[in-house]
Amino acid sequence: MQASPSLTLSQRLHEYGLLMRVDKPIGTLLLLWPTWWALWVAAEGFPDLLVFVVFTAGVFLMRSAGCVINDYADRKIDGQVKRTKNRPLAQNRVSPKEALYLFAGLALTAFILVLFMNALTIAMSFVGALLAASYPFMKRFTNLPQVVLGTAFAWSIPMAFAAQTGAVPVAAWLLFLATILWTTAYDTMYAMVDREDDLKIGVKSTAILFGKNDKTIIGGLQIGTLLLLVIAGVYLQLGTLYYSGVFIAGCFSVYQQFLIKDRVIKQCFAAFLNNNWFGLVVFAGLFFHYLLV
């Protein structure tokens, strides 16, 4: 299937930007915050400038690549889902071949950046690439694609520690587990938006798996996330500023539970978006802790 040949170069670049979700930065932010948590903890303050630039740019590139391969994987079903029916591949404004070339270009650029890091980080990047490329296909095979996404997002944490310190200590794995639980919680909120369409199409999600227990299980995941963040703080001997950030994050979690209580689609999506503030306040607690100690 070929994309429409009538598009100008600027129009085609615009469509590529839509494929990369440049117009919807929430995914980039949700990946950026745990990456910055890891960098600040690993460096005990502002990280090495090269490491900071490589990982910040890498977040944008790999999130964009993930969106492109996701739309490629879903190109035959996105047109059946209200939220995604106007995506470039679903509307044949971009061809599958173009999408694969764009994915390869973004992933290759991210890998070139990783080559400036140490050998451990380079080795770990292959696991990250595999997770990013495989996640979009998981909804065909498992009821837990959100857990796979959480693992893909969280993998930036041990990589960041490896790049900054040359090792992956216990603190990295505590933050890794916290991020998996957090991502699973907010992506289940996101999946609640598409639940009815997904049931008709036959794809899988935690929102479908959890069923009527979705809100309770999301709450448990949120509590688990906060507990792991507290345990990480105790292990790292962090101070009041950090715990203040975690407390505010907990308040956002309560607010998100309020938003999803009636499973209204717009409110579930608002709860998903609200997680940007969760990630931000945890980072703010870390930032000011290390700034002022």
Side-chain angles (χ1 to χ4, degrees):
M1 185 182 295
Q2 298 295 318
S4 171
S6 61
L7 296 179
T8 65
L9 176 61
S10 63
Q11 288 173 328
R12 194 165 297 282
L13 291 175
H14 174 70
E15 297 298 335
Y16 293 166
L18 294 178
L19 265 180
M20 295 164 58
R21 307 287 197 279
V22 174
D23 59 322
K24 296 176 180 177
I26 181 63
T28 300
L29 292 169
L30 289 172
L31 177 54
L32 183 68
W33 296 128
T35 303
W36 279 7
W37 298 351
L39 288 175
W40 255 257
V41 171
E44 297 184 350
F46 200 96
D48 176 85
L49 183 59
L50 178 61
V51 173
F52 175 76
V53 170
V54 166
F55 273 81
T56 301
V59 162
F60 171 77
L61 290 167
M62 288 310 297
R63 187 262 176 165
S64 298
C67 289
V68 173
I69 199 65
N70 180 79
D71 284 12
Y72 174 82
D74 290 350
R75 65 193 185 280
K76 295 181 180 179
I77 63 175
D78 273 347
Q80 304 172 58
V81 179
K82 182 178 180 181
R83 182 179 57 82
T84 61
K85 65 181 181 180
N86 291 317
R87 286 178 174 174
L89 277 168
Q91 292 295 315
N92 195 33
R93 299 193 303 271
V94 172
S95 72
K97 183 182 292 186
E98 285 178 287
L100 287 177
Y101 284 148
L102 180 58
F103 169 75
L106 290 165
L108 179 60
T109 303
F111 182 67
I112 290 171
L113 287 177
V114 171
L115 292 177
F116 289 94
M117 302 291 97
N118 57 39
L120 177 58
T121 309
I122 294 170
M124 294 178 72
S125 72
F126 289 99
V127 177
L130 178 62
L131 287 167
S134 62
Y135 156 70
F137 300 92
M138 290 297 103
K139 66 183 73 172
R140 280 91 170 157
F141 307 109
T142 175
N143 290 309
L144 299 170
Q146 281 67 34
V147 178
V148 179
L149 178 67
T151 306
F153 270 33
W155 194 248
S156 65
I157 292 172
M159 282 186 63
F161 272 86
Q164 182 64 39
T165 69
V168 186
V170 171
W173 296 115
L174 289 171
L175 293 176
F176 174 78
L177 292 173
T179 300
I180 291 176
L181 296 185
W182 177 43
T183 306
T184 302
Y186 68 64
D187 205 49
T188 300
M189 297 174 194
Y190 191 65
M192 290 168 72
V193 175
D194 296 334
R195 178 156 43 195
E196 296 307 315
D197 287 327
D198 287 346
L199 283 167
K200 293 176 184 176
I201 297 166
V203 298
K204 305 174 189 297
S205 74
T206 48
I208 293 172
L209 176 65
F210 298 160
K212 290 186 287 187
N213 297 314
D214 50 4
K215 296 180 292 183
T216 301
I217 296 174
I218 289 171
L221 292 167
Q222 291 172 318
I223 291 170
T225 301
L226 294 165
L227 284 174
L228 283 166
L229 290 173
V230 169
I231 292 169
V234 172
Y235 181 81
L236 292 163
Q237 298 182 330
L238 302 179
T240 303
L241 289 170
Y242 169 73
Y243 292 114
S244 297
V246 173
F247 174 78
I248 297 171
C251 294
F252 281 125
S253 295
V254 173
Y255 175 60
Q256 291 159 21
Q257 282 289 320
F258 171 78
L259 288 173
I260 67 174
K261 65 182 177 66
D262 296 318
R263 300 186 180 89
V264 176
I265 288 177
K266 288 184 178 180
Q267 296 294 84
C268 290
F269 189 66
F272 162 73
L273 293 175
N274 186 260
N275 280 276
N276 176 48
W277 298 105
F278 182 109
L280 170 61
V281 296
V282 173
F283 172 70
L286 286 167
F287 179 87
F288 287 110
H289 167 80
Y290 287 115
L291 181 68
L292 299 175
V293 292

